[in-house]
Amino acid sequence: MGTSDDDPQVMALELKGLRRRVAALEDALSRSRKQGDTLREANTLLNSIIENTDDFILFSNARAEPMFFNTAYARIMKELLGIEMRAGLKPHTLIDDEVVRAWWDGLHERALAGDKFTEEYTQAGPDGRERVFEVSYNPIWIADQVQGFSEFTR
C-alpha cells in the first residue's frame, strides 16, 4: 500500500503550495531589485550634486571619523595640510596647535550632541595668505539618535 506522499492529490497540493511560494519569492526579488535600482539612481544623483560644487563637503560617523567627502574637500586638505584624504582620517588631529585641535573637537562634539550650527574661522594657506571659511554642521539623525554629521565649508 502507498503512502500519502505517493497520493497524486497530496502531491498536487504540495506542488501548488510550492508554486505560490516561488511566485511570492520572485515578486519579492523583483521589488528588491527595483528598490536597489532606485537607491543606486538616488546615490548617483546625490554624488553628482556633491561633486558639482567648490564647497568642501564631509560626512562623518558617530565617532567623528570622516566616511565620505567630495573632491573639493580632498583638494583643500592636500593644499592646507599636505595630506591625501582618506576615510577614517581626522585631518584636524594632524594640526600641531593643541588649541586648534581642541576647537575642532568641540565643533564635532557639538554636532554629535545634535546641534545644527555655523562657525567662521580664518586660516593661513601654504602661501601665507589668510582665508576666511564658513563651516556649517548638521547632525545626521537615524531612529532618533545622532549617527554622525555633515560638514559643509566654503
Side-chain angles (χ1 to χ4, degrees):
M1 184 169 190
T3 66
S4 63
D5 290 342
D6 295 334
D7 184 339
Q9 287 180 328
V10 170
M11 290 175 59
L13 286 174
E14 288 176 354
L15 183 59
K16 186 175 181 181
L18 285 173
R19 284 184 178 146
R20 268 187 284 188
R21 282 187 264 171
V22 167
L25 286 172
E26 286 175 339
D27 184 52
L29 183 59
S30 176
R31 283 193 315 271
S32 178
R33 283 184 184 140
K34 287 177 186 173
Q35 289 171 342
D37 290 345
T38 301
L39 185 58
R40 277 186 290 284
E41 183 179 336
N43 189 45
T44 298
L45 294 172
L46 179 60
N47 194 50
S48 176
I49 291 168
I50 290 171
E51 289 296 336
N52 191 31
T53 182
D54 290 329
D55 292 347
F56 316 123
I57 301 173
L58 171 74
F59 296 95
S60 293
N61 65 19
R63 293 179 305 278
E65 298 167 334
M67 301 311 294
F68 178 81
F69 48 87
N70 68 351
T71 303
Y73 186 89
R75 190 172 47 248
I76 196 71
M77 290 299 105
K78 180 75 169 170
E79 179 185 325
L80 295 179
L81 299 177
I83 62 170
E84 295 292 331
M85 190 59 200
R86 60 178 164 69
L89 174 66
K90 297 180 177 182
H92 75 283
T93 63
L94 303 174
I95 298 171
D96 292 330
D97 187 327
E98 288 182 33
V99 173
V100 173
R101 280 196 317 268
W103 182 76
W104 282 106
D105 283 336
L107 295 178
H108 298 164
E109 289 167 9
R110 232 177 113 185
L112 290 171
D115 288 348
K116 179 180 179 179
F117 61 96
T118 300
E119 294 280 338
E120 278 192 9
Y121 67 97
T122 303
Q123 182 169 337
D127 59 1
R129 184 177 61 115
E130 293 283 316
R131 295 173 67 176
V132 177
F133 294 97
E134 178 184 273
V135 59
S136 297
Y137 286 91
N138 193 38
I140 299 170
W141 293 90
I142 301 173
D144 295 329
Q145 291 188 345
V146 177
Q147 298 295 318
F149 59 83
S150 63
E151 177 183 312
F152 285 66
T153 307
R154 51 177 50 185

